[in-house]
Amino acid sequence: MRTEYRSLLLVCVVATGMSLGMTACTMGPDFKGPAMAAPDQWGGTAAATATSSVTVAEPIDPAWWNSFGDPLLTELVTQAIRNNLDIKVAAARLAESRAQLGQSKAAEFPTLDGNASYTRELQSADGVIGLLGSGGASSTPGTGTNGLGGRQGGIPTQSAASSVLPPFNLYQYGFDASWELDLWGRVRRTTENASATAEAQEYSQHDVVVSTAAEVARDYLDLRGMQEKLRITRENLAYAQRTVQLTENRAQHGLATDLDVANAQSQAASTAADIPQDEQQQAQYINAIGLLLGEYPQALTARLMAQAAAPVVPPRVPVGLPSELAHRRPDIREAEAQLHAATANIGAAKADFFPKITLSGSVAIQATQFTNLGSWGARSYSAGPSLTIPLFEGGQLRATLALREAQQQEAAINYRKTVLSAFRDVDDALTGYAAEQSRRDQLYASVQASRRALEIANKRYVRGISNYLDVLTAQKTLLTNEEQLADSTATVTTNLVSLYKALGGGWDVVATE
């Protein structure tokens, strides 16, 4: 092996040994996952035991929407997870962050570029070549030292009639390589930041999945609740219309007054007036579900317009343990990953205070004749390290470090806030689920009593014992109580959806597919 190539290899080996020997020197704090104190049990569990559907500290079913026993709901949630545009946007952002991670990892390795070129060149006779004795266009022909005034190093000139340096062809091909020796861990910390950022974006996508599944279920259950209200309103309208006919017949026989007829007609018209508004809300719920599924308006009307039985809540609702919440909630894991990324940035900022050493080299074949490109004498090379030392940056490095430390503090505070908000969400959802069930049970008893009251009032009116005002009052009370019961029944199911969302269920089903 030639001496110069042995020297080049020696430089590479020494530089590589320096890099490997100092890879353990990584600036900045190493990230450790923050400890999270969690209660032993959920605060709302005891309150829920007094209801018909109780929460229990058992493993959560990731596909929680199946617990409602509604195949159409399961189908809609599955389709939304597959086609929802917000989820697709989140997936695209995840792909972007992973590509950026690939860019950061590439900096850990040497770069090697191949090159080839051909140029036709003419050097200026009055430029740098003139200093080397080329004679220049303005020099005196025949000068023995080519403008160097007889000093040592002069280059003999050619005749005045000839060109000092005629145009020439230059053929060249070779390789260039460079490698930053990551002595202080700047590149590794940058890669660590990119990896944590990609992880945060992954959990951000999972959070979108959780929100989308919950929103589809909530809109679907609200739709079924609205359809139940429509059924109740139409039944009451039919009853009110029969009452109008009865009152008009009694008025014709002198058993009722015109006031009774007017009151009956007013009640029927007031009940009918609620139907268009309920139908409008029904259409809005269908369109909302369609948007979540990536469909145009009215695309789901045929599937959802037909009234079906409203889904019921299961008798037992597994909620797991509080200590498992940080693992299930994607927003908590996202906040932790963001804290990790901010911590890695501190190390990268500290590494910027130290010198940067870059090993670079090139090997090329260069010749003015194409046929000489295979000649050993056409070789050229260069190799060696370069050193960059920050001497004066106007305070930029210190300001950057202060910024990174402040960003880490912000991320730590945001993590703690996210954890506290998650526990609050669960506690509120547990309390709301239990309380609404109690309210629904009371409303059910109220509806039963209202029906008996209306039946009694109607019989007393027919027998002439009481006036029509008692019937009208009982009818209004029954309609109000039935609508409230329908609302409360739907709210119980949507509160269960809120509980599942607060527990962070659903994304792990998609992640394992």
Side-chain angles (χ1 to χ4, degrees), residues 407-419:
Q407 288 173 336
Q408 186 206 35
Q409 293 177 4
E410 178 186 358
I413 295 171
N414 180 68
Y415 173 82
R416 177 168 175 77
K417 179 181 178 181
T418 302
V419 170

Side-chain angles (χ1 to χ4, degrees), residues 55-242:
T55 56
V56 291
E58 297 176 357
I60 300 174
D61 181 9
W64 52 262
W65 43 87
N66 294 329
S67 64
F68 290 98
D70 190 323
L72 181 54
L73 172 59
T74 298
E75 180 183 342
L76 292 173
V77 172
T78 303
Q79 185 176 348
I81 293 175
R82 185 173 58 250
N83 298 332
N84 181 262
L85 299 182
D86 289 332
I87 296 178
K88 290 182 180 295
V89 169
R93 290 174 179 168
L94 175 58
E96 293 172 8
S97 62
R98 286 175 175 171
Q100 291 172 347
L101 172 59
Q103 290 178 332
S104 298
K105 285 185 176 180
E108 298 179 359
F109 301 94
T111 60
L112 178 64
D113 298 318
N115 60 76
S117 65
Y118 160 75
T119 57
R120 175 73 175 175
E121 298 184 16
L122 172 63
Q123 298 292 334
S124 171
D126 288 333
V128 176
I129 296 299
L131 296 176
L132 299 177
S134 62
S138 59
S139 62
T140 303
T143 301
T145 57
N146 288 324
L148 294 183
R151 290 173 290 175
Q152 186 178 4
I155 301 176
T157 64
Q158 300 175 355
S159 63
S162 64
S163 173
V164 174
L165 190 60
F168 61 92
N169 298 325
L170 183 62
Y171 302 90
Q172 178 173 306
Y173 68 90
F175 300 93
D176 295 323
S178 64
W179 186 18
E180 179 183 342
L181 305 182
D182 192 23
L183 303 180
W184 320 112
R186 184 189 67 83
V187 176
R188 292 192 296 278
R189 288 302 191 193
T190 302
T191 302
E192 182 182 355
N193 168 268
S195 177
T197 300
E199 183 181 5
Q201 186 57 54
E202 180 179 3
Y203 286 117
S204 176
Q205 182 199 22
H206 294 335
D207 194 42
V208 176
V209 171
V210 171
S211 298
T212 300
E215 191 62 30
V216 171
R218 185 180 293 113
D219 287 343
Y220 178 80
L221 296 171
D222 283 338
L223 170 66
R224 292 311 186 199
M226 179 55 62
Q227 290 175 337
E228 177 64 14
K229 285 184 64 177
L230 270 169
R231 184 192 66 79
I232 293 171
T233 303
R234 286 167 178 154
E235 286 184 356
N236 277 274
L237 176 60
Y239 180 86
Q241 289 173 341
R242 290 194 299 270

Side-chain angles (χ1 to χ4, degrees), residues 185-390:
R186 184 189 67 83
V187 176
R188 292 192 296 278
R189 288 302 191 193
T190 302
T191 302
E192 182 182 355
N193 168 268
S195 177
T197 300
E199 183 181 5
Q201 186 57 54
E202 180 179 3
Y203 286 117
S204 176
Q205 182 199 22
H206 294 335
D207 194 42
V208 176
V209 171
V210 171
S211 298
T212 300
E215 191 62 30
V216 171
R218 185 180 293 113
D219 287 343
Y220 178 80
L221 296 171
D222 283 338
L223 170 66
R224 292 311 186 199
M226 179 55 62
Q227 290 175 337
E228 177 64 14
K229 285 184 64 177
L230 270 169
R231 184 192 66 79
I232 293 171
T233 303
R234 286 167 178 154
E235 286 184 356
N236 277 274
L237 176 60
Y239 180 86
Q241 289 173 341
R242 290 194 299 270
T243 302
V244 170
Q245 294 177 354
L246 174 63
T247 307
E248 289 176 344
N249 291 336
R250 287 175 59 84
Q252 291 175 359
H253 294 84
L255 300 176
T257 66
D258 291 340
L259 178 60
D260 292 339
V261 174
N263 284 332
Q265 293 174 341
S266 174
Q267 177 63 22
S270 177
T271 303
D274 292 335
I275 294 178
Q277 184 177 8
D278 291 345
E279 290 176 338
Q280 177 188 359
Q281 292 185 1
Q282 176 183 239
Q284 289 174 344
Y285 282 130
I286 293 175
N287 286 339
I289 296 172
L291 179 60
L292 291 170
L293 270 61
E295 300 283 355
Y296 283 99
Q298 305 298 326
L300 300 179
T301 301
R303 294 171 62 186
L304 298 177
M305 184 64 75
Q307 183 175 348
V312 296
V313 296
R316 293 169 60 87
V317 179
V319 295
L321 298 174
S323 58
E324 301 170 346
L325 185 62
H327 176 75
R328 287 196 307 268
R329 287 272 298 220
D331 56 339
I332 294 180
R333 301 180 73 172
E334 178 187 0
E336 182 178 352
Q338 290 172 342
L339 177 57
H340 186 179
T343 304
N345 268 340
I346 294 178
K350 287 185 175 181
D352 284 336
F353 283 85
F354 295 87
K356 294 180 182 178
I357 300 177
T358 303
L359 178 66
S360 60
S362 65
V363 177
I365 300 297
Q366 187 181 85
T368 58
Q369 298 294 329
F370 184 78
T371 56
N372 292 334
L373 288 178
S375 171
W376 180 252
R379 72 193 186 283
S380 67
Y381 72 88
S382 65
S386 62
L387 178 66
T388 303
I389 302 176

